[in-house]
Amino acid sequence: MNSGMRKTFLLGAVLCSASLLPAEKGDPSPKPDYSRFEKKLSKDQRILHALDRLAFGPRPGDVTAVKKMGLNKWIDLQLHPEQIPESPELSRRLQPLESLRMTQADTVAEYPPPQLIRAVAFGKQPMPEDPVARAAVEREVEKFDTQRHVPDDQPLEPKIPLSQLLTPEQIRILRSGSVDARRALLASLDPSTIDDFVIALPANLRNQLLPSASPELRRKLMLANNPQQVVAADLAEGKLYRAIYSNRQLEEVLTDFWYNHFNVDLNKGSDRFLVPTYERDSIRPFVLGKFRELLEATATSPAMLFYLDNYQSVAPQQPNPKNPKARQSTRGLNENYARELMELHTLGVDGGYTQQDIIEVARCFTGWTIKAPKDGGGFTFNGRTHDKGEKHVLGVTIPAGGGMEDGEMVLDILARHPSTARHISRELAQRFVADDPPPMLIERMAKTFAESGGDIRAVLETMIASPEFFSQGAFRSKIKTPFEMIVSAVRASGASVEYAMPLANQLSTWGEPLYRKVEPTGYSNAGSEWVNSSALLDRMNFGMQLGQNRVQGLQLDPKKFSPSPATTAREILFTNASSQTLEAIDKTLREQKKKDQQKKKNPHQAANPGLIAGLVIGSPDFQRR
Amino acid sequence: MFSRRLFLKSSAVAMFGAGAAPAWLSRALYAADAPSPRKKILVAIFQRGAMDGLNVVVPHGEKAYYALRPNLAIPRPDGTPDSVIDLDGFFGLHPSLAPLKPIYDAGQLGIVQAVGSPDPTRSHFDAQDFMESGTPGEKTTSDGWLNRALVEERKPSPVRAVSLGPELPHALRGHNEAVAIDSLNSFKVGDARGASAFEAMYGDTHDQVLKGTGREAFDAVKRVQAVEKSPYTPAGGAKYPNGKLGQNLMQIARLIKANVGLEVAFTDVTGWDHHVNEVGAKPTVGQLANLLNDFGQSLAAFYTDLGDRMADVSVVTMSEFGRTAKENGTRGTDHGHANVMFAMGGGIKGGKVYGDWPGMEREQLYESRDLNLTTDFRDVLGELVVRHLGNRQIASVFPGYSQPKFRDLIG
């Protein structure tokens, strides 16, 4: 969709006057004005802009560090992330998130989905090794075996009841104590009985204890409730920790961009355990590489094959290989992947393909499927289900008798198609430059794409070196997406994140649940898509909670901010706040002071730096990048 | 006038037991004497992902339907729980839509078959966008039909146009005020100091986009919080399902009953893209059945909850395109063309399946594969805009569609 044009148009209409909106089709659209993309930025603006676009916003100290290093050097390093030492702050937080490092097969075994629990019950799969996971699976298996209805919130006769492990007072603290009291109690538990303790807890109490538990205990609590919850939590936490703490910021921005471009929904069936390896092995290694390799990696990933149904697509009129004796199989072609491959992944919706091309491409990809879970669940090509007839894709004849190379030929054709060069360049420019990027910039990027054989790093270099990148037209022109807003706010505030799930939960209510975009389109790259009344209120509320250290899982000392609104605003915005924002904060503080004086409170309390910080984060000034 | 017919129809509802009570019958009678100053309300529901209309309002009298769908077809009506619920001898409801049958029988639910967008795209994204902008094939339309459907007013209510959900959909974007409300309960700035400071900041900012949205937000917050203060119990024993659609419809009902000036509301429900295993072991289980179950119960609860207030309300449903007439190789269906729409309300001449049936023989299908279009979706929406909302400027609401062919859903 040409949402960029739509957006600028909308923006234009709002800026000028409502009467400009067309009443009739055929009214001439106002010609987009790109002249602001010719106006240069000051030196300080360039640094701030680079940190807002090639990173998830500055942290305290970043602007100075980039200044010292030199902006060009910093950009060059970001384009070569392997040369940047990773932050120990990040490594420490990623360390407990084990599922992010596992193979697909281990993920399934350790965090079994319900269908695998069935397999365990039938003795087709081994029990998980971890004792807590084992207890969870045993409980499910027992339920399954006996067909007894046992509510999920009751442990199935724990070996040791809670009352034998804890005193009544301790149990009272667990049930109704403060976060801190619970934290202290959990930290004091005997490590040798911790598994028994977790198993003995009722499910709802396990959930309530999550914010008070250490990362290790948290995993056990989730594991005992629903092993798969751990995989989803590891993914979401890992993404947030990386975005907040990684020194390789551009790599994170690009991983987010490319995952979204090749979107897969974590909630769709087997994708619940296929997504971790998908992002790790099929997206992340290629984010600055050749587009053709990225395309190949996604096309052969079990996560994508499952998400867009290609694993089930077989040549029509082929016997079912699993049951060759069955009469004529009802299985056949599925167009889903073929369509999205062209519409979203490569050519773009106006890239010049027809419905017949979709059918032909689907035929080329028959047989691209997933191995059985017992064989590791990876990619495989099944020649028996492949359509061996001749195909015609975008005017190219793919001869009869081919095998997996049919699909490879399609990927070749698509990767070097001029429509793909333009589509990818436009998407990148929309993410990195402006909701409605100037056509000249897109053409320049597309040219590099074509000449470099789809080298993503080269395309980005062209983009950054273009005058449009560091221009007034781009500077602070993009509204932050919910993810960008939350990550940049945490970074700017200098808060320390010890448990990222509350942030992930915020994102779900803001309409951007991580890894859970149902549609293959992914989330919009256009910032203006995210402006609406509900979203603004969410942002204001989050700002107030963050500034005053009221976000669960985060630690922030509000006293570190200055009682002077102008100073605190500068610390968070890395530039001066608008006079409107400062006036509103001053007024609020004056009113607060008046109220406090009436109540004869200590006047020092009125100068509340956390309140100021919260108002700055929720202000219009912080909503753009 | 609607009132007399509503009264007659409502008696039918009472007979079918869809939550009618003598108390409101008398109120309906009263309403007939005093013309209501209340505004008409249009509620639009978007079923994203392309619902398989052929398995929702099933052409059980069409032989080709059963030939094309050996695994997916819903059995002809035979009174058993897993067969089609017959409507008129040719069409019938999916059995999981049983809660809608009494409303159909009461004459307040109309159905349009073989309806959709004339644009040939089978892209979800484009087709949804076209249906929301109201301009098929025209990608640069920045505003949505539902926003344009509002008539200019000097002092419009800040909550005249509401979308339930975290995002403002294309259908509601445009120069008339429209707000996204994720839930009535959380629609506020929690901290009082923050509320006044942010209202000032967003009111004074030079950032025109944020200023406009900010002002809309704070105006709407005041109106919504006044409603939110009092607890809410759905009327008539209506039970909304716990899913998003049911909860969103309940909040729309709440706004309607609170008389805050709501005129158009929008909500959506995702997950209709059933390429694989659309139907489970029997028709009443599986992915499509689950969604329809939730869909039917949600609409029926809304209908019961609003009671006689349905006289002012029309609900219309849409989905970007239909699905292939023939089932695919994975017990599902791929992207198709024409689909089905529902229209429910006091003013709807229900109890009828509208639209010309194009047939499902190969030569009758669109591109030999999909159900053909006999009604443009703008015929349905346009009629609601003109005859329900009373906005006669059809050419501005649906630019480029100056000669709509209304189906006379409203008479």
Side-chain angles (χ1 to χ4, degrees):
Chain A
M1 175 187 77
N2 200 342
S3 66
M5 278 180 80
R6 201 177 92 203
K7 284 323 137 204
T8 330
F9 183 50
L10 176 66
L11 190 68
V14 171
L15 285 172
C16 305
S17 130
S19 65
L20 267 181
L21 281 164
E24 300 285 342
K25 179 182 162 183
D27 276 9
S29 301
K31 212 176 166 201
D33 177 11
Y34 294 112
S35 60
R36 281 175 59 76
F37 290 94
E38 290 159 19
K39 297 201 176 92
K40 290 186 173 145
L41 296 181
S42 74
K43 232 177 168 180
D44 284 351
Q45 284 177 327
R46 286 167 69 93
I47 291 174
L48 187 55
H49 189 63
L51 284 162
D52 270 342
R53 296 299 175 95
L54 306 176
F56 283 107
R59 291 171 300 187
D62 278 356
V63 171
T64 319
V66 175
K67 223 177 242 178
K68 204 170 145 198
M69 177 190 287
L71 179 57
N72 290 341
K73 169 81 178 153
W74 180 82
I75 292 172
D76 192 53
L77 275 176
Q78 289 298 326
L79 284 164
H80 297 88
E82 68 286 353
Q83 295 173 16
I84 306 173
E86 199 40 288
S87 152
E89 286 282 287
L90 174 62
S91 315
R92 172 171 76 76
R93 288 173 172 86
L94 291 181
Q95 207 279 328
L97 312 180
E98 279 174 359
S99 75
L100 298 181
R101 298 186 292 274
M102 286 182 176
T103 64
Q104 219 160 272
D106 286 348
T107 311
V108 177
E110 288 303 309
Y111 308 103
Q115 61 266 42
L116 261 292
I117 290 173
R118 259 175 82 104
V120 174
F122 282 120
K124 289 181 181 167
Q125 284 284 317
M127 275 281 178
E129 281 177 19
D130 183 285
V132 176
R134 179 180 287 259
V137 172
E138 275 171 357
R139 186 188 66 200
E140 291 302 318
V141 167
E142 187 164 338
K143 265 203 290 197
F144 181 76
D145 279 351
T146 60
Q147 296 295 314
R148 269 194 313 173
H149 180 72
V150 180
D152 283 336
D153 57 350
Q154 280 173 29
L156 204 103
E157 294 152 26
K159 288 190 191 93
I160 309 169
L162 202 54
S163 55
Q164 280 185 30
L165 294 163
L166 300 179
T167 66
E169 171 60 10
Q170 285 177 315
I171 293 174
R172 191 197 61 77
I173 291 174
L174 276 190
R175 289 192 183 279
S176 52
S178 68
V179 173
D180 286 339
R182 283 168 163 182
R183 186 177 291 134
L185 172 64
L186 293 176
S188 73
L189 293 174
D190 177 1
S192 69
T193 61
I194 199 90
D195 286 351
D196 295 327
F197 163 75
V198 170
I199 292 165
L201 286 173
N204 58 349
L205 191 50
R206 289 193 198 116
N207 274 334
Q208 287 168 28
L209 292 175
L210 291 175
S212 313
S214 69
E216 292 73 20
L217 179 57
R218 207 147 57 213
R219 301 181 68 71
K220 287 180 187 293
L221 293 167
M222 286 190 285
L223 204 51
N225 272 2
N226 170 10
Q228 283 220 298
Q229 190 191 347
V230 184
V231 180
D234 282 0
L235 269 170
E237 281 207 275
K239 184 177 172 76
L240 281 157
Y241 290 143
R242 286 174 185 277
I244 293 165
Y245 288 104
S246 176
N247 291 335
R248 300 167 182 173
Q249 280 283 297
L250 180 58
E251 185 180 79
E252 286 318 307
V253 174
L254 284 169
T255 303
D256 181 57
F257 172 85
W258 286 117
Y259 183 95
N260 193 54
H261 181 83
F262 292 104
N263 180 53
V264 164
D265 174 20
L266 177 68
N267 272 2
K268 180 167 174 176
S270 301
D271 277 317
R272 293 193 175 92
F273 54 84
L274 295 174
V275 167
T277 47
Y278 176 64
E279 185 183 62
R280 186 188 69 198
D281 302 337
S282 305
I283 301 283
R284 184 177 288 281
F286 306 100
V287 298
L288 279 159
K290 293 274 188 187
F291 180 74
R292 174 67 178 82
E293 288 176 33
L294 177 58
L295 193 59
E296 173 94 13
T298 57
T300 55
S301 70
M304 184 63 80
L305 288 163
F306 186 86
Y307 175 58
L308 292 180
D309 307 318
N310 198 75
Y311 79 111
Q312 294 201 33
S313 181
V314 302
Q317 309 302 317
Q318 293 282 320
N320 183 345
K322 281 185 186 160
N323 190 4
K325 281 176 196 158
R327 63 182 182 88
Q328 193 61 48
S329 163
T330 55
R331 292 211 306 160
L333 209 58
N334 185 307
E335 299 169 6
N336 203 9
Y337 177 66
R339 177 188 309 281
E340 309 304 6
L341 172 66
M342 291 195 277
E343 176 186 333
L344 301 171
H345 299 173
T346 59
L347 304 175
V349 70
D350 300 319
Y353 58 92
T354 64
Q355 173 63 31
Q356 193 54 39
D357 285 321
I358 292 171
I359 293 171
E360 300 287 300
V361 167
R363 291 176 61 212
C364 290
F365 281 102
T366 47
W368 288 49
T369 188
I370 310 173
K371 283 183 204 157
K374 63 176 166 44
D375 302 321
F379 169 78
T380 185
F381 175 74
N382 183 350
R384 284 173 303 175
T385 59
H386 181 65
D387 184 332
K388 295 181 186 65
E390 186 180 273
K391 297 120 189 157
H392 303 271
V393 173
L394 296 162
V396 180
T397 298
I398 295 176
M404 187 174 163
E405 63 269 28
D406 293 354
E408 295 290 356
M409 273 182 74
V410 171
L411 296 183
D412 286 339
I413 294 167
L414 294 177
R416 60 166 184 254
H417 198 285
S419 293
T420 300
R422 267 196 304 275
H423 177 58
I424 299 297
S425 297
R426 185 174 192 288
E427 298 262 300
L428 282 167
Q430 196 179 41
R431 168 76 186 234
F432 284 94
V433 183
D435 280 3
D436 177 28
M440 281 289 290
L441 172 68
I442 298 170
E443 283 313 311
R444 224 176 290 131
M445 291 166 69
K447 190 163 174 271
T448 302
F449 189 101
E451 287 171 0
S452 66
D455 187 315
I456 299 165
R457 193 185 338 248
V459 175
L460 287 171
E461 280 166 350
T462 297
M463 179 186 79
I464 297 167
S466 292
E468 291 91 344
F469 185 78
F470 287 111
S471 74
Q472 294 291 351
F475 187 63
R476 292 180 52 74
S477 73
K478 283 188 68 85
I479 303 273
K480 293 170 182 174
T481 65
F483 183 68
E484 288 164 350
M485 167 61 193
I486 283 188
V487 170
S488 67
V490 173
R491 282 171 65 84
S493 72
S496 159
V497 188
E498 299 306 329
Y499 179 40
M501 275 318 283
L503 297 178
N505 295 338
Q506 283 270 351
L507 284 165
S508 298
T509 58
W510 294 19
E512 197 184 7
L514 298 177
Y515 301 99
R516 282 183 283 128
K517 175 68 174 169
V518 178
E519 297 86 358
T521 49
Y523 295 111
S524 175
N525 283 315
S528 54
E529 292 276 341
W530 298 99
V531 183
N532 66 62
S533 40
S534 213
L536 287 189
L537 294 171
D538 286 337
R539 288 166 190 237
M540 296 171 203
N541 285 322
F542 178 73
M544 293 297 279
Q545 289 163 15
L546 177 60
Q548 299 176 87
N549 191 29
R550 286 185 198 144
V551 180
Q552 254 189 2
L554 263 61
Q555 283 300 320
L556 174 76
D557 181 6
K559 286 198 225 67
K560 75 175 201 141
F561 295 113
S562 159
S564 147
T567 310
T568 289
R570 230 194 122 71
E571 277 173 40
I572 289 168
L573 300 169
F574 302 92
T575 183
N576 290 326
S578 64
S579 58
Q580 297 81 11
T581 291
L582 287 180
E583 271 164 30
I585 297 175
D586 280 335
K587 185 162 170 264
T588 303
L589 294 180
R590 280 198 307 274
E591 283 167 4
Q592 188 65 29
K593 201 170 165 186
K594 219 159 108 205
K595 273 187 201 155
D596 288 348
Q597 278 167 351
Q598 282 162 0
K599 289 182 196 161
K600 301 211 164 62
K601 267 197 194 168
N602 184 341
H604 285 298
Q605 275 182 323
N608 180 343
L611 173 64
I612 298 170
L615 291 171
V616 173
I617 296 167
S619 75
D621 307 48
F622 198 74
Q623 307 312 317
R624 289 187 181 266
R625 62 177 177 99
Chain B
M1 278 307 289
F2 67 84
S3 311
R4 191 178 130 75
R5 200 181 64 243
L6 172 71
F7 171 66
L8 294 174
K9 285 180 177 179
S10 303
S11 309
V13 178
M15 285 195 299
F16 280 88
W24 77 255
L25 280 179
S26 61
R27 284 204 304 277
L29 278 170
Y30 173 77
D33 298 334
S36 168
R38 298 180 304 211
K39 287 206 153 139
K40 297 290 184 187
I41 297 154
L42 179 58
V43 180
I45 301 175
F46 207 114
Q47 298 164 293
R48 298 191 192 276
M51 175 180 74
D52 183 15
L54 289 170
N55 262 19
V56 175
V57 176
V58 179
H60 63 80
E62 171 73 54
K63 248 172 71 187
Y65 166 78
Y66 289 95
L68 290 167
R69 298 183 164 209
N71 293 290
L72 294 193
I74 315 293
R76 293 185 179 87
D78 61 7
T80 60
D82 280 285
S83 67
V84 171
I85 302 168
D86 183 45
L87 293 176
D88 59 5
F90 186 84
F91 292 108
L93 288 174
H94 186 287
S96 297
L97 287 180
L100 297 184
K101 180 66 170 22
I103 308 173
Y104 179 90
D105 290 339
Q108 301 209 354
L109 175 70
I111 293 166
V112 188
Q113 247 300 8
V115 60
S117 167
D119 188 86
T121 185
R122 291 189 185 89
S123 151
H124 291 298
F125 199 43
D126 274 0
Q128 288 179 22
D129 210 51
F130 291 155
M131 202 164 264
E132 291 195 53
S133 72
T135 56
E138 190 61 53
K139 292 193 179 185
T140 53
T141 312
S142 63
D143 50 4
W145 72 270
L146 199 52
N147 191 294
R148 295 191 301 266
L150 294 162
V151 278
E152 292 290 338
E153 266 185 48
R154 275 197 306 142
K155 277 189 78 183
S157 161
V159 286
R160 68 189 304 216
V162 170
S163 169
L164 262 292
E167 291 148 57
L168 193 67
H170 190 175
L172 263 185
R173 293 190 191 172
H175 80 281
N176 286 305
E177 290 196 20
V179 291
I181 299 179
D182 196 22
S183 80
L184 300 184
N185 171 286
S186 63
F187 192 72
K188 62 187 169 201
V189 174
D191 186 310
R193 297 165 302 177
S196 57
F198 286 134
E199 191 171 355
M201 278 183 210
Y202 282 80
D204 296 341
T205 180
H206 292 314
D207 189 323
Q208 294 305 316
V209 171
L210 294 177
K211 182 184 183 134
T213 310
R215 185 179 45 77
E216 284 177 13
F218 282 104
D219 287 351
V221 163
K222 286 170 198 150
R223 208 58 82 91
V224 165
Q225 286 317 308
V227 174
E228 230 284 310
K229 265 184 206 150
S230 44
Y232 186 72
T233 313
K239 282 201 176 61
Y240 289 94
N242 282 328
K244 247 184 165 170
L245 177 63
Q247 294 305 304
N248 287 348
L249 284 176
M250 180 170 82
Q251 300 189 69
I252 291 171
R254 206 170 163 180
L255 289 174
I256 291 172
K257 290 204 252 179
N259 295 314
V260 290
L262 184 71
E263 292 170 59
V264 299
F266 180 99
T267 188
D268 57 14
V269 50
T270 57
W272 299 88
D273 194 17
H274 300 137
H275 288 276
V276 172
N277 291 336
E278 178 176 316
V279 178
K282 52 181 185 172
T284 46
V285 299
Q287 300 183 76
L288 180 64
N290 289 342
L291 276 172
L292 289 177
N293 208 17
D294 180 68
F295 179 76
Q297 286 183 29
S298 298
L299 259 66
F302 182 79
Y303 178 84
T304 306
D305 186 10
L306 282 178
D308 57 335
R309 193 66 196 268
M310 274 311 285
D312 298 334
V313 180
S314 286
V315 179
V316 64
T317 71
M318 70 208 80
S319 189
E320 63 264 34
F321 42 71
R323 307 190 70 83
T324 44
K326 188 178 190 297
E327 64 186 36
N328 68 11
T330 52
R331 291 182 60 88
T333 44
D334 291 321
H335 299 181
H337 196 50
N339 208 335
V340 69
M341 291 172 80
F342 291 89
M344 177 177 89
I348 302 294
K349 280 197 289 184
K352 183 178 167 185
V353 181
Y354 290 82
D356 305 316
W357 179 243
M360 288 178 69
E361 296 300 337
R362 193 179 154 79
E363 66 280 5
Q364 294 171 322
L365 293 174
Y366 176 75
E367 296 181 351
S368 307
R369 55 176 265 160
D370 306 328
L371 187 65
N372 239 315
L373 199 79
T374 55
T375 302
D376 190 303
F377 75 100
R378 291 168 295 183
D379 292 337
V380 178
L381 299 182
E383 184 174 353
L384 289 165
V385 168
V386 173
R387 294 184 179 161
H388 178 68
L389 288 179
N391 180 350
R392 311 213 150 264
Q393 305 302 314
I394 187 80
S396 335
V397 180
F398 294 104
Y401 197 56
S402 44
Q403 290 176 319
K405 293 178 281 293
F406 291 164
R407 287 284 164 182
D408 292 331
L409 284 155
I410 297 174

